[in-house]
Amino acid sequence: MAAVGGGRTVSSAFAPIRLWLLLPSWLTIGFFLLIPVLLMLVYSFLTKEFRGGVIWEFSLAAYDQFLFDRGLFGDDPPTIQWTYITIFARSIIQATIATIMCLLIGFPTAWYIATRPASSRAVWLFLVTVPYWVNLLIRTVSMKFLIRENGPMNEALLGAGILDAPLQLINTDFAVQLGLFYSYLPFMVLPIYAAVERYNFALSEAAADLYASHWKIMRSIVLPVVKPGIIAGCILVFVPSLGAFLAPDLLGGAKNFMIGSLIEEQFKGQAGNWPFGAAASMILLSMVLVVLFFYARSQAREQV
Amino acid sequence: MRTFDPRRYAGFFTITLACLFILYAPLVVVAVYSFNDSLSITRFEGVSLRWYQDVFFGLEAGKFRTAAWNSFTIAIMAATAATMIATAAAIGMVRGGNFKGKPASFALISMPIMVPEIVTAVATLIFFSAIGFSLGYVSILVAHIVFCIPFAYLPISARLQGIEATFEEAAQDLYASRWNAFRYVLAPSMAPGIMSGFLLAFIISLDDFIITNFVKGAGVETLPTAIFGAVKQGIKPDIMALSTLLLLFSILIVTLSYLIGRTGDAKNPE
């Protein structure tokens, strides 16, 4: 096991009362999150009760409904039900595009900040982190206000003569991608910044002495070294984007349904199908766990 | 001689400025339009404070006041409870020596960050309904305490890892009780970390929409759920004024946290 705190020996001044120190957190999270998640797994195998809730009777109906269409009365031969698979596929695509957008803007930003003199770095970092502390709902609403059809952005572009007709951004796939990008951009900048800050620029200088071009240095020397930061940033953006609710709901409209809205509708909206909502949540959670598992494994490999 | 700066890449500065522009433009625009003296949200027709007056004294002022009260009291209590639990956990993890369940313990403490918010929301709602816990103020508070713990834990344990263990060991060698070693030696040097942990938990609680929306039950609103409900009917100027107030409050807190972090670092250089 790795020693905590940069290779120093692990301090154990509080080891005798360790159990009492850890117990409150174990009990709180275990009782109010771990058990609920296990209960959710159980619920996904129960029978739905109309108008919310469940009947305690084993059933695979929730997962069946996810994959197959058996007609209105459930007695037609099953065909593949594309509705929900499409929603999950769309969520993966939207989250991927948002992650790429964050990387394209976030990497140069993180690089620029990390190469400032130490004194001004803190200020730049502060500027990038402030929006993260502002309420996500307010940020999403602000984005909606800005890009709406009669909004300030279209007014400005029309006024400046750049556009002839207002851009129809709201309720498009791009609006959702923009919203996700806007929500999680700081998550991309911070880990990449941390990686670039540790990068030894003597490596770049050595490569330049050997006549490597500027971009060749970036590709072959810098990127392999800062890769862990990039991967961490991508995961920090991709995972919350996948299950996001606010950006698709406020910016995407009904046509651009994502997993978050699908789940929400089972509990708060018209659908009222708790086992199906629990099953969809389980599928989302499994996808996230797979991503985190591969991440943890690649981390473990790096350290060997 | 060839001038070569390995730190410089053409265009990176422009992209950084674009990045900051994208981050701030929507917020600035909403703040500006909240001072708009017009019923229409499209045209800007002069500066006025009428929408701020509306937030505090208008038709919906009572609703906003109750929501703000719920939001702030829940955030303060949830952040306080989470910070106490997280401080104990951080000491147990960082100063508790090596033990067999350490990775599992860390996984459990960070579980609220790993699990997608909407999944936490679903699981919590199912759990409360299964045990017959009525939804309302208390259920929101409990859910907030749980997801605030890792956000408080991370800055506190990071701080603790930077503090040499020799101090509290010396105190114990001089027959200070474990409590006194914590109270007089460890706690003062941990204070900036504990404060940042508290502020982060406070903001995260104040910020939460999804989980609150699931476990709030009928009739109880926090600021985010009240704003969401209002925005569903269209963005009105009073909502922009309310949002601007909340925005300024968040910026105040983050500035506070930044300054605390800086004084903490100055006293304890790495």
Side-chain angles (χ1 to χ4, degrees), chain B residues 16-89:
Chain B
T16 305
L17 289 186
C19 175
L20 289 178
F21 179 77
I22 297 166
L23 285 176
Y24 286 93
L27 302 177
V28 171
V29 164
V30 163
V32 167
Y33 271 78
S34 72
F35 293 104
N36 186 4
D37 183 26
S38 162
L39 269 176
S40 132
I41 54 166
T42 334
R43 296 247 163 269
F44 196 88
E45 290 169 3
V47 177
S48 111
L49 286 175
R50 59 185 288 193
W51 302 116
Y52 288 89
Q53 202 181 356
D54 216 45
V55 168
F56 288 103
F57 308 107
L59 281 174
E60 290 180 306
K63 202 180 80 184
F64 291 147
R65 212 170 298 151
T66 318
W69 172 257
N70 288 341
S71 266
F72 281 93
T73 50
I74 287 173
I76 288 172
M77 286 192 281
T80 307
T83 307
M84 292 190 324
I85 294 170
T87 305

Side-chain angles (χ1 to χ4, degrees), chain A residues 92-154:
Chain A
I92 294 173
I93 293 169
Q94 295 286 64
T96 307
I97 296 174
T99 307
I100 293 170
M101 285 164 68
C102 284
L103 184 60
L104 290 179
I105 298 280
F107 182 86
T109 305
W111 179 276
Y112 182 78
I113 296 175
T115 52
R116 291 305 87 205
S119 53
S120 60
R121 246 180 256 167
V123 177
W124 283 101
L125 268 187
F126 178 72
L127 285 176
V128 171
T129 36
V130 165
Y132 166 68
W133 292 66
V134 172
N135 198 304
L136 180 61
L137 172 65
I138 291 180
R139 279 188 286 153
T140 312
V141 170
S142 305
M143 183 55 94
K144 181 174 179 148
F145 179 75
L146 180 68
I147 66 173
R148 131 197 94 83
E149 198 186 338
N150 302 316
M153 191 188 74
N154 271 323

